Amino acid sequence: MHLGAATIDGAKTIHWQATYDTSKLSAATQSTVDPVYKTFDVWIDDKGLVRKAVIDFTAKQARNSTKRAHVTLTLTLSNFGSAVTVPIPTAAETV
């Protein structure tokens, strides 16, 4: 569903909202976390780049738990095409 225009970090975007078709989730995912999705929102700029995404859902806290956790995950994306330097972790920093 188109929700209108918005500016994200100075970029003009179009805000879209969708719902999930949970019937497409694997049986393993359904039985392990039993997710309940609310909506998925994305803001897409004129180059087709996702500038922001918000995912809202609840899920089991653990495989055999009856307790549930509510999660709202927000991603803001920028600096597309910029060079990135990633240092190699030391052995003490890895598992």
Side-chain angles (χ1 to χ4, degrees), residues 9-70:
D9 288 338
K12 293 180 180 181
T13 66
I14 301 296
H15 181 189
W16 294 90
Q17 185 178 75
T19 56
Y20 292 90
D21 180 355
T22 55
S23 70
K24 305 289 185 190
L25 294 173
S26 71
T29 299
Q30 287 287 10
S31 65
T32 303
V33 295
D34 187 26
V36 176
Y37 293 98
K38 295 181 180 179
T39 58
F40 182 87
D41 289 70
V42 292
W43 289 258
I44 301 173
D45 70 13
D46 60 357
K47 295 177 184 171
L49 298 171
V50 174
R51 294 297 186 139
K52 183 177 178 180
V54 177
I55 305 165
D56 190 4
F57 67 97
T58 61
K60 289 181 186 177
Q61 288 183 5
R63 181 178 301 229
N64 296 318
S65 177
T66 57
K67 293 182 180 179
R68 301 184 67 77
H70 175 248

